[in-house]
Amino acid sequence: MMSESETTNAYFVSDLHLFSNRSTGELILPELRDRVRQTHTVVLGGDIFDFKWSTHESDERSVEKAVEWIEDLLEQNADCEYHYILGNHDSRPEFVEQLDALASRHPNFTRHRYFARLDNCLFLHGDVADGPLDHARLDSRRQKFERKKKKTGLWHVAYDMAIHARLHRLVVLSIREMKVLRRINAYVERIGHGLDDGVTDVYFGHTHVDLDGIQYQGLCFHNGGAAIRGMKFRIVETTLSAPATVRA
């Protein structure tokens, strides 16, 4: 048994984009389950599921399968604390309702809209890197994204061809990492969870660019990439107390 002051490995996972043709997320599920069984805290950092590009026949079926996936993960370790942060691909209202229902049934499961502060670590999805977005603008942008119709048929074929040609990778690599870090750093300062508030490490997804402990403005930034064909991806390790101290 771990004492309350003991620290050990915890894990951050984002951008699996499950249900999409491009996703390789199911391939890492055995590794993820193994990590879950050995840890006390798992943070799911958004875009775990991709409802816009889902291959399921309906939104209702996609949500149903997403809930089943999460419940399977919860069953791996009843003593683990699970934190789910919404992303732009999985903030659909009917799914958020199901996440809240899961939280009511499982005291060790918590849903976060924007970020989760645990000990000296801040976890967020990272779509604030798309622009100087406050929470109101972020909500508006996500809602606009979710109102778009689910892509079907030839849209999937075209996007598959782009992935195969590495066009998606080229778009991702064109993002200036310093601009991303500058925007995320400004965001964490704005919400009061920056360096002056004791944060040392920031974990985020969304940009699909693997960052392994990049130092910027006194903070250490981490990103596990994306579980999409042709892209780098890893489950990101961090160190948290057991249980971690949750800050609002």
Side-chain angles (χ1 to χ4, degrees), residues 153-186:
L154 292 177
W155 282 101
H156 283 273
V157 174
Y159 198 32
D160 283 343
M161 291 174 65
I163 291 294
H164 184 70
R166 297 298 189 271
L167 296 180
H168 185 68
R169 185 177 181 84
L170 290 173
V171 170
V172 170
L173 292 180
S174 72
I175 297 175
R176 296 180 181 179
E177 291 182 10
M178 294 302 291
K179 188 175 184 179
V180 168
L181 295 181
R182 183 171 68 251
R183 285 177 171 175
I184 292 182
N185 185 68

PDB file of all heavy atoms in Angstrom, residues 153-186:
ATOM      1  N   GLY A 153     -18.805   8.599 -45.998  1.00  0.00           N
ATOM      2  CA  GLY A 153     -18.557   8.293 -47.402  1.00  0.00           C
ATOM      3  C   GLY A 153     -17.247   8.802 -47.948  1.00  0.00           C
ATOM      4  O   GLY A 153     -16.171   8.507 -47.436  1.00  0.00           O
ATOM      5  N   LEU A 154     -17.337   9.616 -49.025  1.00  0.00           N
ATOM      6  CA  LEU A 154     -16.151  10.073 -49.734  1.00  0.00           C
ATOM      7  C   LEU A 154     -15.262  10.971 -48.887  1.00  0.00           C
ATOM      8  O   LEU A 154     -14.064  11.080 -49.138  1.00  0.00           O
ATOM      9  CB  LEU A 154     -16.566  10.813 -51.017  1.00  0.00           C
ATOM     10  CG  LEU A 154     -17.195   9.938 -52.097  1.00  0.00           C
ATOM     11  CD1 LEU A 154     -17.627  10.791 -53.279  1.00  0.00           C
ATOM     12  CD2 LEU A 154     -16.226   8.853 -52.550  1.00  0.00           C
ATOM     13  N   TRP A 155     -15.840  11.629 -47.868  1.00  0.00           N
ATOM     14  CA  TRP A 155     -15.008  12.431 -46.970  1.00  0.00           C
ATOM     15  C   TRP A 155     -13.964  11.547 -46.295  1.00  0.00           C
ATOM     16  O   TRP A 155     -12.804  11.926 -46.160  1.00  0.00           O
ATOM     17  CB  TRP A 155     -15.878  13.114 -45.910  1.00  0.00           C
ATOM     18  CG  TRP A 155     -16.608  14.317 -46.405  1.00  0.00           C
ATOM     19  CD1 TRP A 155     -17.917  14.400 -46.775  1.00  0.00           C
ATOM     20  CD2 TRP A 155     -16.065  15.627 -46.579  1.00  0.00           C
ATOM     21  NE1 TRP A 155     -18.217  15.686 -47.180  1.00  0.00           N
ATOM     22  CE2 TRP A 155     -17.114  16.458 -47.061  1.00  0.00           C
ATOM     23  CE3 TRP A 155     -14.800  16.181 -46.375  1.00  0.00           C
ATOM     24  CZ2 TRP A 155     -16.924  17.811 -47.344  1.00  0.00           C
ATOM     25  CZ3 TRP A 155     -14.613  17.542 -46.659  1.00  0.00           C
ATOM     26  CH2 TRP A 155     -15.662  18.330 -47.136  1.00  0.00           C
ATOM     27  N   HIS A 156     -14.363  10.363 -45.851  1.00  0.00           N
ATOM     28  CA  HIS A 156     -13.415   9.445 -45.214  1.00  0.00           C
ATOM     29  C   HIS A 156     -12.354   8.996 -46.206  1.00  0.00           C
ATOM     30  O   HIS A 156     -11.172   8.905 -45.868  1.00  0.00           O
ATOM     31  CB  HIS A 156     -14.161   8.219 -44.661  1.00  0.00           C
ATOM     32  CG  HIS A 156     -14.889   8.494 -43.386  1.00  0.00           C
ATOM     33  ND1 HIS A 156     -14.282   8.390 -42.149  1.00  0.00           N
ATOM     34  CD2 HIS A 156     -16.161   8.871 -43.157  1.00  0.00           C
ATOM     35  CE1 HIS A 156     -15.161   8.682 -41.209  1.00  0.00           C
ATOM     36  NE2 HIS A 156     -16.303   8.979 -41.789  1.00  0.00           N
ATOM     37  N   VAL A 157     -12.762   8.705 -47.417  1.00  0.00           N
ATOM     38  CA  VAL A 157     -11.799   8.268 -48.435  1.00  0.00           C
ATOM     39  C   VAL A 157     -10.763   9.355 -48.689  1.00  0.00           C
ATOM     40  O   VAL A 157      -9.555   9.088 -48.743  1.00  0.00           O
ATOM     41  CB  VAL A 157     -12.532   7.899 -49.743  1.00  0.00           C
ATOM     42  CG1 VAL A 157     -11.521   7.575 -50.848  1.00  0.00           C
ATOM     43  CG2 VAL A 157     -13.468   6.719 -49.514  1.00  0.00           C
ATOM     44  N   ALA A 158     -11.226  10.589 -48.850  1.00  0.00           N
ATOM     45  CA  ALA A 158     -10.311  11.698 -49.115  1.00  0.00           C
ATOM     46  C   ALA A 158      -9.345  11.917 -47.967  1.00  0.00           C
ATOM     47  O   ALA A 158      -8.149  12.146 -48.165  1.00  0.00           O
ATOM     48  CB  ALA A 158     -11.120  12.969 -49.389  1.00  0.00           C
ATOM     49  N   TYR A 159      -9.880  11.828 -46.733  1.00  0.00           N
ATOM     50  CA  TYR A 159      -9.014  12.052 -45.581  1.00  0.00           C
ATOM     51  C   TYR A 159      -8.016  10.905 -45.420  1.00  0.00           C
ATOM     52  O   TYR A 159      -6.866  11.117 -45.066  1.00  0.00           O
ATOM     53  CB  TYR A 159      -9.864  12.228 -44.324  1.00  0.00           C
ATOM     54  CG  TYR A 159      -9.136  12.877 -43.176  1.00  0.00           C
ATOM     55  CD1 TYR A 159      -8.149  13.813 -43.392  1.00  0.00           C
ATOM     56  CD2 TYR A 159      -9.449  12.560 -41.861  1.00  0.00           C
ATOM     57  CE1 TYR A 159      -7.489  14.425 -42.343  1.00  0.00           C
ATOM     58  CE2 TYR A 159      -8.792  13.161 -40.798  1.00  0.00           C
ATOM     59  CZ  TYR A 159      -7.817  14.087 -41.045  1.00  0.00           C
ATOM     60  OH  TYR A 159      -7.163  14.673 -40.008  1.00  0.00           O
ATOM     61  N   ASP A 160      -8.448   9.680 -45.709  1.00  0.00           N
ATOM     62  CA  ASP A 160      -7.530   8.539 -45.668  1.00  0.00           C
ATOM     63  C   ASP A 160      -6.380   8.729 -46.650  1.00  0.00           C
ATOM     64  O   ASP A 160      -5.231   8.413 -46.351  1.00  0.00           O
ATOM     65  CB  ASP A 160      -8.280   7.241 -46.002  1.00  0.00           C
ATOM     66  CG  ASP A 160      -9.106   6.736 -44.839  1.00  0.00           C
ATOM     67  OD1 ASP A 160      -8.855   7.183 -43.713  1.00  0.00           O
ATOM     68  OD2 ASP A 160     -10.005   5.908 -45.058  1.00  0.00           O
ATOM     69  N   MET A 161      -6.691   9.232 -47.836  1.00  0.00           N
ATOM     70  CA  MET A 161      -5.649   9.469 -48.830  1.00  0.00           C
ATOM     71  C   MET A 161      -4.665  10.523 -48.343  1.00  0.00           C
ATOM     72  O   MET A 161      -3.447  10.411 -48.550  1.00  0.00           O
ATOM     73  CB  MET A 161      -6.287   9.898 -50.147  1.00  0.00           C
ATOM     74  CG  MET A 161      -7.077   8.798 -50.845  1.00  0.00           C
ATOM     75  SD  MET A 161      -7.946   9.382 -52.313  1.00  0.00           S
ATOM     76  CE  MET A 161      -6.540   9.820 -53.354  1.00  0.00           C
ATOM     77  N   ALA A 162      -5.173  11.538 -47.663  1.00  0.00           N
ATOM     78  CA  ALA A 162      -4.294  12.576 -47.136  1.00  0.00           C
ATOM     79  C   ALA A 162      -3.371  12.016 -46.064  1.00  0.00           C
ATOM     80  O   ALA A 162      -2.178  12.330 -46.015  1.00  0.00           O
ATOM     81  CB  ALA A 162      -5.133  13.729 -46.561  1.00  0.00           C
ATOM     82  N   ILE A 163      -3.923  11.169 -45.188  1.00  0.00           N
ATOM     83  CA  ILE A 163      -3.101  10.549 -44.151  1.00  0.00           C
ATOM     84  C   ILE A 163      -2.030   9.671 -44.791  1.00  0.00           C
ATOM     85  O   ILE A 163      -0.859   9.702 -44.411  1.00  0.00           O
ATOM     86  CB  ILE A 163      -3.977   9.699 -43.206  1.00  0.00           C
ATOM     87  CG1 ILE A 163      -4.869  10.612 -42.372  1.00  0.00           C
ATOM     88  CG2 ILE A 163      -3.120   8.840 -42.287  1.00  0.00           C
ATOM     89  CD1 ILE A 163      -4.141  11.503 -41.397  1.00  0.00           C
ATOM     90  N   HIS A 164      -2.426   8.879 -45.790  1.00  0.00           N
ATOM     91  CA  HIS A 164      -1.488   7.987 -46.460  1.00  0.00           C
ATOM     92  C   HIS A 164      -0.355   8.772 -47.117  1.00  0.00           C
ATOM     93  O   HIS A 164       0.794   8.331 -47.144  1.00  0.00           O
ATOM     94  CB  HIS A 164      -2.210   7.152 -47.514  1.00  0.00           C
ATOM     95  CG  HIS A 164      -1.336   6.132 -48.178  1.00  0.00           C
ATOM     96  ND1 HIS A 164      -0.868   5.014 -47.520  1.00  0.00           N
ATOM     97  CD2 HIS A 164      -0.837   6.078 -49.444  1.00  0.00           C
ATOM     98  CE1 HIS A 164      -0.113   4.302 -48.345  1.00  0.00           C
ATOM     99  NE2 HIS A 164      -0.072   4.941 -49.520  1.00  0.00           N
ATOM    100  N   ALA A 165      -0.673   9.945 -47.646  1.00  0.00           N
ATOM    101  CA  ALA A 165       0.329  10.775 -48.308  1.00  0.00           C
ATOM    102  C   ALA A 165       1.110  11.632 -47.326  1.00  0.00           C
ATOM    103  O   ALA A 165       1.960  12.418 -47.722  1.00  0.00           O
ATOM    104  CB  ALA A 165      -0.352  11.669 -49.337  1.00  0.00           C
ATOM    105  N   ARG A 166       0.807  11.501 -46.038  1.00  0.00           N
ATOM    106  CA  ARG A 166       1.474  12.255 -44.977  1.00  0.00           C
ATOM    107  C   ARG A 166       1.147  13.751 -45.037  1.00  0.00           C
ATOM    108  O   ARG A 166       1.849  14.568 -44.467  1.00  0.00           O
ATOM    109  CB  ARG A 166       2.995  12.071 -45.008  1.00  0.00           C
ATOM    110  CG  ARG A 166       3.458  10.635 -44.751  1.00  0.00           C
ATOM    111  CD  ARG A 166       3.047  10.145 -43.355  1.00  0.00           C
ATOM    112  NE  ARG A 166       3.656   8.874 -43.028  1.00  0.00           N
ATOM    113  CZ  ARG A 166       3.136   7.697 -43.296  1.00  0.00           C
ATOM    114  NH1 ARG A 166       1.981   7.632 -43.947  1.00  0.00           N
ATOM    115  NH2 ARG A 166       3.736   6.579 -42.937  1.00  0.00           N
ATOM    116  N   LEU A 167       0.063  14.123 -45.732  1.00  0.00           N
ATOM    117  CA  LEU A 167      -0.295  15.529 -45.772  1.00  0.00           C
ATOM    118  C   LEU A 167      -0.669  16.037 -44.387  1.00  0.00           C
ATOM    119  O   LEU A 167      -0.367  17.173 -44.022  1.00  0.00           O
ATOM    120  CB  LEU A 167      -1.478  15.744 -46.740  1.00  0.00           C
ATOM    121  CG  LEU A 167      -1.193  15.408 -48.206  1.00  0.00           C
ATOM    122  CD1 LEU A 167      -2.444  15.668 -49.036  1.00  0.00           C
ATOM    123  CD2 LEU A 167      -0.021  16.201 -48.732  1.00  0.00           C
ATOM    124  N   HIS A 168      -1.341  15.182 -43.593  1.00  0.00           N
ATOM    125  CA  HIS A 168      -1.723  15.574 -42.239  1.00  0.00           C
ATOM    126  C   HIS A 168      -0.474  15.851 -41.407  1.00  0.00           C
ATOM    127  O   HIS A 168      -0.402  16.808 -40.651  1.00  0.00           O
ATOM    128  CB  HIS A 168      -2.562  14.466 -41.600  1.00  0.00           C
ATOM    129  CG  HIS A 168      -3.109  14.829 -40.261  1.00  0.00           C
ATOM    130  ND1 HIS A 168      -4.067  15.794 -40.087  1.00  0.00           N
ATOM    131  CD2 HIS A 168      -2.820  14.362 -39.025  1.00  0.00           C
ATOM    132  CE1 HIS A 168      -4.366  15.900 -38.803  1.00  0.00           C
ATOM    133  NE2 HIS A 168      -3.622  15.054 -38.143  1.00  0.00           N
ATOM    134  N   ARG A 169       0.528  15.015 -41.581  1.00  0.00           N
ATOM    135  CA  ARG A 169       1.771  15.188 -40.833  1.00  0.00           C
ATOM    136  C   ARG A 169       2.448  16.502 -41.216  1.00  0.00           C
ATOM    137  O   ARG A 169       2.962  17.222 -40.370  1.00  0.00           O
ATOM    138  CB  ARG A 169       2.705  14.010 -41.115  1.00  0.00           C
ATOM    139  CG  ARG A 169       3.985  14.021 -40.297  1.00  0.00           C
ATOM    140  CD  ARG A 169       4.819  12.777 -40.579  1.00  0.00           C
ATOM    141  NE  ARG A 169       6.033  12.761 -39.790  1.00  0.00           N
ATOM    142  CZ  ARG A 169       6.114  12.329 -38.548  1.00  0.00           C
ATOM    143  NH1 ARG A 169       5.035  11.885 -37.952  1.00  0.00           N
ATOM    144  NH2 ARG A 169       7.241  12.344 -37.897  1.00  0.00           N
ATOM    145  N   LEU A 170       2.393  16.856 -42.490  1.00  0.00           N
ATOM    146  CA  LEU A 170       3.008  18.096 -42.916  1.00  0.00           C
ATOM    147  C   LEU A 170       2.305  19.304 -42.307  1.00  0.00           C
ATOM    148  O   LEU A 170       2.949  20.257 -41.884  1.00  0.00           O
ATOM    149  CB  LEU A 170       2.978  18.198 -44.444  1.00  0.00           C
ATOM    150  CG  LEU A 170       3.898  17.234 -45.199  1.00  0.00           C
ATOM    151  CD1 LEU A 170       3.626  17.331 -46.695  1.00  0.00           C
ATOM    152  CD2 LEU A 170       5.362  17.529 -44.903  1.00  0.00           C
ATOM    153  N   VAL A 171       0.970  19.242 -42.232  1.00  0.00           N
ATOM    154  CA  VAL A 171       0.224  20.332 -41.624  1.00  0.00           C
ATOM    155  C   VAL A 171       0.601  20.481 -40.161  1.00  0.00           C
ATOM    156  O   VAL A 171       0.843  21.576 -39.656  1.00  0.00           O
ATOM    157  CB  VAL A 171      -1.295  20.090 -41.759  1.00  0.00           C
ATOM    158  CG1 VAL A 171      -2.073  21.086 -40.926  1.00  0.00           C
ATOM    159  CG2 VAL A 171      -1.709  20.199 -43.219  1.00  0.00           C
ATOM    160  N   VAL A 172       0.683  19.336 -39.460  1.00  0.00           N
ATOM    161  CA  VAL A 172       1.020  19.380 -38.042  1.00  0.00           C
ATOM    162  C   VAL A 172       2.417  19.947 -37.834  1.00  0.00           C
ATOM    163  O   VAL A 172       2.653  20.795 -36.989  1.00  0.00           O
ATOM    164  CB  VAL A 172       0.911  17.972 -37.422  1.00  0.00           C
ATOM    165  CG1 VAL A 172       1.496  17.961 -36.021  1.00  0.00           C
ATOM    166  CG2 VAL A 172      -0.551  17.545 -37.361  1.00  0.00           C
ATOM    167  N   LEU A 173       3.372  19.490 -38.629  1.00  0.00           N
ATOM    168  CA  LEU A 173       4.747  19.931 -38.448  1.00  0.00           C
ATOM    169  C   LEU A 173       4.946  21.388 -38.844  1.00  0.00           C
ATOM    170  O   LEU A 173       5.970  21.973 -38.514  1.00  0.00           O
ATOM    171  CB  LEU A 173       5.694  19.025 -39.252  1.00  0.00           C
ATOM    172  CG  LEU A 173       5.800  17.586 -38.756  1.00  0.00           C
ATOM    173  CD1 LEU A 173       6.759  16.798 -39.628  1.00  0.00           C
ATOM    174  CD2 LEU A 173       6.261  17.545 -37.311  1.00  0.00           C
ATOM    175  N   SER A 174       3.988  21.983 -39.530  1.00  0.00           N
ATOM    176  CA  SER A 174       4.120  23.386 -39.893  1.00  0.00           C
ATOM    177  C   SER A 174       3.769  24.311 -38.715  1.00  0.00           C
ATOM    178  O   SER A 174       4.034  25.501 -38.764  1.00  0.00           O
ATOM    179  CB  SER A 174       3.234  23.714 -41.090  1.00  0.00           C
ATOM    180  OG  SER A 174       1.860  23.716 -40.713  1.00  0.00           O
ATOM    181  N   ILE A 175       3.163  23.768 -37.677  1.00  0.00           N
ATOM    182  CA  ILE A 175       2.825  24.560 -36.487  1.00  0.00           C
ATOM    183  C   ILE A 175       4.106  24.949 -35.765  1.00  0.00           C
ATOM    184  O   ILE A 175       4.941  24.109 -35.458  1.00  0.00           O
ATOM    185  CB  ILE A 175       1.907  23.766 -35.541  1.00  0.00           C
ATOM    186  CG1 ILE A 175       0.589  23.447 -36.231  1.00  0.00           C
ATOM    187  CG2 ILE A 175       1.656  24.541 -34.252  1.00  0.00           C
ATOM    188  CD1 ILE A 175      -0.324  22.561 -35.417  1.00  0.00           C
ATOM    189  N   ARG A 176       4.247  26.190 -35.461  1.00  0.00           N
ATOM    190  CA  ARG A 176       5.438  26.657 -34.763  1.00  0.00           C
ATOM    191  C   ARG A 176       5.321  26.316 -33.278  1.00  0.00           C
ATOM    192  O   ARG A 176       4.456  26.840 -32.577  1.00  0.00           O
ATOM    193  CB  ARG A 176       5.626  28.160 -34.948  1.00  0.00           C
ATOM    194  CG  ARG A 176       5.878  28.558 -36.399  1.00  0.00           C
ATOM    195  CD  ARG A 176       6.063  30.052 -36.527  1.00  0.00           C
ATOM    196  NE  ARG A 176       6.278  30.428 -37.918  1.00  0.00           N
ATOM    197  CZ  ARG A 176       6.458  31.684 -38.316  1.00  0.00           C
ATOM    198  NH1 ARG A 176       6.416  32.672 -37.432  1.00  0.00           N
ATOM    199  NH2 ARG A 176       6.648  31.946 -39.585  1.00  0.00           N
ATOM    200  N   GLU A 177       6.205  25.456 -32.823  1.00  0.00           N
ATOM    201  CA  GLU A 177       6.122  24.995 -31.436  1.00  0.00           C
ATOM    202  C   GLU A 177       6.225  26.152 -30.444  1.00  0.00           C
ATOM    203  O   GLU A 177       5.549  26.164 -29.420  1.00  0.00           O
ATOM    204  CB  GLU A 177       7.217  23.963 -31.165  1.00  0.00           C
ATOM    205  CG  GLU A 177       7.007  22.659 -31.889  1.00  0.00           C
ATOM    206  CD  GLU A 177       8.080  21.630 -31.580  1.00  0.00           C
ATOM    207  OE1 GLU A 177       8.887  21.862 -30.659  1.00  0.00           O
ATOM    208  OE2 GLU A 177       8.100  20.595 -32.257  1.00  0.00           O
ATOM    209  N   MET A 178       7.043  27.132 -30.745  1.00  0.00           N
ATOM    210  CA  MET A 178       7.185  28.252 -29.814  1.00  0.00           C
ATOM    211  C   MET A 178       5.885  29.044 -29.708  1.00  0.00           C
ATOM    212  O   MET A 178       5.544  29.535 -28.629  1.00  0.00           O
ATOM    213  CB  MET A 178       8.322  29.166 -30.267  1.00  0.00           C
ATOM    214  CG  MET A 178       9.701  28.526 -30.200  1.00  0.00           C
ATOM    215  SD  MET A 178      10.127  27.950 -28.529  1.00  0.00           S
ATOM    216  CE  MET A 178      10.308  29.508 -27.684  1.00  0.00           C
ATOM    217  N   LYS A 179       5.148  29.169 -30.806  1.00  0.00           N
ATOM    218  CA  LYS A 179       3.868  29.875 -30.772  1.00  0.00           C
ATOM    219  C   LYS A 179       2.862  29.117 -29.921  1.00  0.00           C
ATOM    220  O   LYS A 179       2.118  29.701 -29.135  1.00  0.00           O
ATOM    221  CB  LYS A 179       3.345  30.050 -32.196  1.00  0.00           C
ATOM    222  CG  LYS A 179       2.124  30.932 -32.322  1.00  0.00           C
ATOM    223  CD  LYS A 179       1.761  31.148 -33.780  1.00  0.00           C
ATOM    224  CE  LYS A 179       0.598  32.112 -33.928  1.00  0.00           C
ATOM    225  NZ  LYS A 179       0.270  32.337 -35.362  1.00  0.00           N
ATOM    226  N   VAL A 180       2.855  27.787 -30.080  1.00  0.00           N
ATOM    227  CA  VAL A 180       1.981  26.942 -29.274  1.00  0.00           C
ATOM    228  C   VAL A 180       2.305  27.100 -27.796  1.00  0.00           C
ATOM    229  O   VAL A 180       1.423  27.317 -26.963  1.00  0.00           O
ATOM    230  CB  VAL A 180       2.103  25.465 -29.702  1.00  0.00           C
ATOM    231  CG1 VAL A 180       1.436  24.549 -28.677  1.00  0.00           C
ATOM    232  CG2 VAL A 180       1.491  25.247 -31.072  1.00  0.00           C
ATOM    233  N   LEU A 181       3.589  26.993 -27.463  1.00  0.00           N
ATOM    234  CA  LEU A 181       3.988  27.088 -26.063  1.00  0.00           C
ATOM    235  C   LEU A 181       3.701  28.477 -25.496  1.00  0.00           C
ATOM    236  O   LEU A 181       3.309  28.605 -24.335  1.00  0.00           O
ATOM    237  CB  LEU A 181       5.475  26.754 -25.920  1.00  0.00           C
ATOM    238  CG  LEU A 181       5.861  25.318 -26.283  1.00  0.00           C
ATOM    239  CD1 LEU A 181       7.361  25.107 -26.068  1.00  0.00           C
ATOM    240  CD2 LEU A 181       5.076  24.304 -25.473  1.00  0.00           C
ATOM    241  N   ARG A 182       3.887  29.503 -26.307  1.00  0.00           N
ATOM    242  CA  ARG A 182       3.614  30.861 -25.839  1.00  0.00           C
ATOM    243  C   ARG A 182       2.130  31.030 -25.516  1.00  0.00           C
ATOM    244  O   ARG A 182       1.772  31.616 -24.486  1.00  0.00           O
ATOM    245  CB  ARG A 182       4.053  31.872 -26.896  1.00  0.00           C
ATOM    246  CG  ARG A 182       3.864  33.335 -26.448  1.00  0.00           C
ATOM    247  CD  ARG A 182       4.498  34.315 -27.399  1.00  0.00           C
ATOM    248  NE  ARG A 182       3.819  34.358 -28.686  1.00  0.00           N
ATOM    249  CZ  ARG A 182       4.309  33.887 -29.821  1.00  0.00           C
ATOM    250  NH1 ARG A 182       5.505  33.309 -29.833  1.00  0.00           N
ATOM    251  NH2 ARG A 182       3.624  33.977 -30.947  1.00  0.00           N
ATOM    252  N   ARG A 183       1.273  30.506 -26.371  1.00  0.00           N
ATOM    253  CA  ARG A 183      -0.165  30.641 -26.133  1.00  0.00           C
ATOM    254  C   ARG A 183      -0.617  29.819 -24.936  1.00  0.00           C
ATOM    255  O   ARG A 183      -1.444  30.280 -24.140  1.00  0.00           O
ATOM    256  CB  ARG A 183      -0.926  30.214 -27.388  1.00  0.00           C
ATOM    257  CG  ARG A 183      -0.876  31.233 -28.507  1.00  0.00           C
ATOM    258  CD  ARG A 183      -1.582  30.737 -29.748  1.00  0.00           C
ATOM    259  NE  ARG A 183      -1.717  31.802 -30.757  1.00  0.00           N
ATOM    260  CZ  ARG A 183      -2.202  31.625 -31.963  1.00  0.00           C
ATOM    261  NH1 ARG A 183      -2.626  30.415 -32.326  1.00  0.00           N
ATOM    262  NH2 ARG A 183      -2.288  32.632 -32.810  1.00  0.00           N
ATOM    263  N   ILE A 184      -0.106  28.621 -24.802  1.00  0.00           N
ATOM    264  CA  ILE A 184      -0.493  27.797 -23.659  1.00  0.00           C
ATOM    265  C   ILE A 184       0.048  28.390 -22.373  1.00  0.00           C
ATOM    266  O   ILE A 184      -0.638  28.418 -21.340  1.00  0.00           O
ATOM    267  CB  ILE A 184      -0.017  26.345 -23.857  1.00  0.00           C
ATOM    268  CG1 ILE A 184      -0.807  25.707 -24.998  1.00  0.00           C
ATOM    269  CG2 ILE A 184      -0.198  25.536 -22.567  1.00  0.00           C
ATOM    270  CD1 ILE A 184      -0.460  24.270 -25.269  1.00  0.00           C
ATOM    271  N   ASN A 185       1.278  28.907 -22.419  1.00  0.00           N
ATOM    272  CA  ASN A 185       1.845  29.554 -21.234  1.00  0.00           C
ATOM    273  C   ASN A 185       1.008  30.759 -20.816  1.00  0.00           C
ATOM    274  O   ASN A 185       0.745  30.966 -19.625  1.00  0.00           O
ATOM    275  CB  ASN A 185       3.288  29.975 -21.509  1.00  0.00           C
ATOM    276  CG  ASN A 185       3.967  30.553 -20.283  1.00  0.00           C
ATOM    277  OD1 ASN A 185       4.221  29.855 -19.312  1.00  0.00           O
ATOM    278  ND2 ASN A 185       4.249  31.839 -20.326  1.00  0.00           N
ATOM    279  N   ALA A 186       0.559  31.551 -21.790  1.00  0.00           N
ATOM    280  CA  ALA A 186      -0.291  32.707 -21.481  1.00  0.00           C
ATOM    281  C   ALA A 186      -1.607  32.253 -20.866  1.00  0.00           C
ATOM    282  O   ALA A 186      -2.131  32.888 -19.939  1.00  0.00           O
ATOM    283  CB  ALA A 186      -0.538  33.517 -22.750  1.00  0.00           C
TER     284      ALA A 186
END
